């Protein structure tokens, strides 16, 4: 193993992630583990140089105080207690902040080396994956989003064609998105890739369905069914690769933190399809996942892409999805992305996309009355997607985009710009 590690035991403090990031900023790898980690689990971790307890026994979760497994106090690793009210100083625990800084604890007490970088992280994960998987096979749903792409690249590096990627095109992808998954993973990285074009199946199920939640349920449910069907066709697969990242774990609730929202990636597979999980990114934050993707040689536009909802363009083709409006969303989105890149806005604006509502309005084309759809442009900035402000796009850029949409996209006679911040609007428009 290349990297030293400081283990943070999660006693419910909301600062754990901040501390993990501070340690990584000092150049030392750090992982957060549940407070009730056993001695065996701790011993199975590689290159542990020290342990930090944060939160303290007085932390009450669901009416019960939490503390670590008492044997850990005797584990022999240097331990630091932050905000640990009954700090067991008799057991040679260090306490912050009066005696010791984080830096001193890590480097002087634990004698950790500042050897955390993406190259070492990738090498370590490759070794761990090989150890876990051996000569067996891993299945991965490769959507083409940042997390699944990075996990695919990592697994390809570790086990090559023992990884089977399944890319399901639900017909709601952006323009050329499935093509670029095939280009990068099959042609460039020589992945074992199964491409499933399920467009007709998804659009058939969605026909006439206008309720946004219902649409999301159908897309999510159908995705799992298609993936399951492919999994059943394959023999001898023991593992499921997942692009779980650290924020997913926090949002789904840890042993000491309440659930924010349910994350279910491909969690909905039936009981008899039991796989052991391979999740090499689960300790990384989003920016680190991107850096990891770059280290693995993925193209920048795949690694630095803006967030895209799982149900894809389905949430941006409002009301019941029709093929003409879906095409209008896809084509106008491609124009918007092209023009934002040309104006340098792709690096500046957090998220930008187009939406097509399910009503028509009157217009004039070639001296004749037309009754057609409108395209709404949305471009927002945010830090955490909880609140967002509207990007003040240069008027000339908006005019150029509008002109292109009105001439190049069929069935559209009007373009609008959404001026609404979040709240009260949401970022998506469904
Ligand atoms: P809202 O519309 O709630 O969106 O303001 C906040 C952010 O979440 C993204 N989003 C999703 N991301 N699966 C995802 O991975 C989804 O189903 C989903 N729905 C919304 C949205 O694009 C925005 O960045």
């Amino acid at each position: 193993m290349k990297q030293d590690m400081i283990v943070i035991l999660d006693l419910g403090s909301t600062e754990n992630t901040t501390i993990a990031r501070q340690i990584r900023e000092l150049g030392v790898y750090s992982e957060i583990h549940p407070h009730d980690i056993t001695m065996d689990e701790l011993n199975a971790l590689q290159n542990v140089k020290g342990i930090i307890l944060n939160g303290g026994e007085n932390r009450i979760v669901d009416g019960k105080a939490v503390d670590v497994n008492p044997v850990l106090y005797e584990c022999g690793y240097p331990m630091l207690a932050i905000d640990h009210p009954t700090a067991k100083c008799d057991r040679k625990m260090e306490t912050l902040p009066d005696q010791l800084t984080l830096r001193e604890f890590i480097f002087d007490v634990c004698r950790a080396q500042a050897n955390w970088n993406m190259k070492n992280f990738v090498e370590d994960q490759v070794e761990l994956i090989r150890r876990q998987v051996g000569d067996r096979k891993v299945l991965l749903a490769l959507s083409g989003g940042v997390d699944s792409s990075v996990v695919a690249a990592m697994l390809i590096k570790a086990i090559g064609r023992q990884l089977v990627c399944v890319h399901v095109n639900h017909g709601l992808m952006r323009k050329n998105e499935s093509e670029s998954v095939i280009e990068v993973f099959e042609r460039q990285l020589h992945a074992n890739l199964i491409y499933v074009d399920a467009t007709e199946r998804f659009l058939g199920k969605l026909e006439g369905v206008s309720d946004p939640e219902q649409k999301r349920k159908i897309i999510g449910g159908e995705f799992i069914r298609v993936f399951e069907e492919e999994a059943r066709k394959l023999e001898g697969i023991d593992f499921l690769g997942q692009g779980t990242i650290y924020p997913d774990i926090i949002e789904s609730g840890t042993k000491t933190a309440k659930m924010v929202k349910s994350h279910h990636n491909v969690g909905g597979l039936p009981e008899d399809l039991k796989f052991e999980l391979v999740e090499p990114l689960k300790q990384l934050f989003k920016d680190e996942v991107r850096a990891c993707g770059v280290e693995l040689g993925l193209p920048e536009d795949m690694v630095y892409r803006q967030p895209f909802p799982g149900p894809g363009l389905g949430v941006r083709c409002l009301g019941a999805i029709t093929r003409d409006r879906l095409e209008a969303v896809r084509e106008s989105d491609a124009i918007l992305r092209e023009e934002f890149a040309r104006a340098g806005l792709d690096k500046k604006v957090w998220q930008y996309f187009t939406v097509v509502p399910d009503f028509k309005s009157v217009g004039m084309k070639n001296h004749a009355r037309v009754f057609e759809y409108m395209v709404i442009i949305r471009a927002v900035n945010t830090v955490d997607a909880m609140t967002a402000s509207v990007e003040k796009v240069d008027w000339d850029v908006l005019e150029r985009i509008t002109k292109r949409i009105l001439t190049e996209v069929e069935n559209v006679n009007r373009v609008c710009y959404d001026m609404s911040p979040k709240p009260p609007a949401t970022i998506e428009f469904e």
Side-chain angles (χ1 to χ4, degrees):
M1 285 287 139
K2 300 271 178 187
Q3 315 177 100
D4 291 349
M5 192 202 306
I6 301 292
V7 172
I8 298 172
L9 294 183
D10 176 12
L11 284 162
S13 167
T14 51
E15 286 166 10
N16 287 325
T17 51
T18 316
I19 294 170
R21 297 214 59 146
Q22 279 171 354
I23 297 172
R24 291 184 197 182
E25 271 157 30
L26 292 170
V28 179
Y29 184 52
S30 160
E31 287 189 356
I32 303 167
H33 285 273
H35 64 88
D36 57 357
I37 188 171
T38 65
M39 205 58 204
D40 286 347
E41 285 165 342
L42 184 66
N43 287 335
L45 299 174
Q46 305 286 319
N47 282 9
V48 175
K49 296 291 169 185
I51 295 177
I52 291 178
L53 300 181
N54 189 22
E57 278 169 288
N58 285 354
R59 277 279 170 183
I60 307 292
V61 174
D62 292 336
K64 277 194 284 191
V66 288
D67 193 12
V68 297
N69 201 330
V71 294
L72 292 193
Y73 290 118
E74 315 293 343
C75 67
Y77 292 116
M79 276 195 176
L80 174 73
I82 300 173
D83 180 28
H84 195 282
T86 56
K88 298 171 172 18
C89 296
D90 54 322
R91 300 184 194 197
K92 294 190 224 57
M93 294 246 299
E94 316 286 348
T95 49
L96 264 187
D98 21 350
Q99 291 104 321
L100 205 62
T101 65
L102 198 54
R103 180 189 288 274
E104 285 164 345
F105 174 71
I106 292 166
F107 295 114
D108 301 344
V109 180
C110 302
R111 309 227 158 261
Q113 302 284 315
N115 51 13
W116 148 250
N117 57 50
M118 269 310 148
K119 190 167 174 293
N120 287 343
F121 177 79
V122 168
E123 283 185 33
D124 282 356
Q125 289 304 319
V126 163
E127 194 181 323
L128 289 170
I129 292 166
R130 286 184 184 151
R131 220 182 273 171
Q132 182 186 6
V133 173
D135 58 3
R136 290 179 288 168
K137 286 187 187 161
V138 182
L139 181 65
L140 175 76
L142 174 59
S143 68
V146 180
D147 304 340
S148 73
S149 296
V150 175
V151 97
M154 176 87 88
L155 283 161
I156 290 167
K157 188 176 167 90
I159 55 167
R161 293 180 67 85
Q162 284 163 254
L163 171 72
V164 183
C165 300
V166 176
H167 175 70
V168 178
N169 178 356
H170 50 27
L172 306 165
M173 310 289 280
R174 285 169 291 194
K175 194 172 179 176
N176 294 332
E177 204 163 20
S178 287
E179 288 81 353
S180 96
V181 168
I182 294 170
E183 168 62 32
V184 170
F185 288 97
E186 199 166 67
R187 305 225 177 87
Q188 296 176 17
L189 298 177
H190 309 292
N192 195 348
L193 174 70
I194 297 171
Y195 171 67
V196 186
D197 184 353
T199 304
E200 293 307 316
R201 181 166 167 173
F202 277 81
L203 294 188
K205 291 267 174 196
L206 286 162
E207 208 171 311
V209 181
S210 56
D211 177 64
E213 275 306 304
Q214 194 60 25
K215 282 163 69 182
R216 277 177 176 268
K217 280 207 184 94
I218 291 173
I219 298 167
E222 206 54 25
F223 182 88
I224 290 168
R225 272 189 291 280
V226 173
F227 186 72
E228 182 201 332
E229 284 169 23
E230 293 304 319
R232 285 192 193 283
K233 286 184 208 159
L234 299 163
E235 303 254 305
I237 303 247
D238 293 308
F239 298 90
L240 188 67
Q242 283 206 325
T244 316
I245 70 173
Y246 195 65
D248 298 339
I249 294 179
I250 303 176
E251 287 190 347
S252 301
T254 61
K255 285 179 180 162
T256 52
K258 291 250 181 323
M259 187 174 97
V260 182
K261 65 176 175 187
S262 61
H263 262 268
H264 47 79
N265 296 334
V266 193
L269 289 175
E271 277 290 296
D272 67 321
L273 272 181
K274 268 221 174 341
F275 298 110
E276 194 182 317
L277 295 182
V278 185
E279 300 176 292
L281 310 179
K282 74 171 179 211
Q283 289 284 346
L284 295 189
F285 297 95
K286 193 77 183 187
D287 53 324
E288 295 170 338
V289 174
R290 296 190 205 278
C292 186
V294 171
E295 176 64 35
L296 287 160
L298 288 179
E300 292 234 333
D301 61 348
M302 188 166 254
V303 166
Y304 285 96
R305 58 179 36 178
Q306 44 172 334
F308 186 58
L313 298 179
V315 301
R316 298 173 184 170
C317 182
L318 305 188
I321 296 170
T322 55
R323 283 164 206 257
D324 56 351
R325 282 188 303 111
L326 185 57
E327 243 355 79
V329 184
R330 185 175 285 127
E331 291 299 322
S332 57
D333 171 75
I335 292 172
L336 180 73
R337 284 192 287 138
E338 229 177 273
E339 292 299 330
F340 262 43
R342 188 174 298 176
L345 290 172
D346 57 333
K347 302 249 160 33
K348 176 177 179 238
V349 182
W350 195 82
Q351 197 172 12
Y352 45 96
F353 53 87
T354 61
V355 173
V356 175
D358 55 345
F359 62 86
K360 294 178 175 177
S361 69
V362 172
M364 289 274 289
K365 276 186 182 171
N366 301 322
H367 311 291
R369 176 189 185 278
V370 288
F371 194 47
E372 293 181 326
Y373 299 115
M374 74 165 61
V375 167
I376 299 170
I377 298 172
R378 186 138 175 79
V380 296
N381 292 308
T382 175
V383 175
D384 54 9
M386 303 296 283
T387 63
S389 61
V390 172
E391 169 72 14
K392 291 182 183 150
V393 181
D394 185 70
W395 203 253
D396 290 341
V397 175
L398 280 180
E399 271 182 348
R400 196 158 53 238
I401 295 166
T402 302
K403 196 167 166 195
R404 280 196 61 191
I405 292 175
L406 291 178
T407 48
E408 294 173 37
V409 182
E410 284 180 37
N411 304 309
V412 172
N413 64 356
R414 211 176 277 272
V415 175
C416 299
Y417 189 71
D418 185 349
M419 293 291 291
S420 331
K422 174 180 180 174
T426 52
I427 293 177
E428 296 291 342
F429 198 124
E430 52 182 314

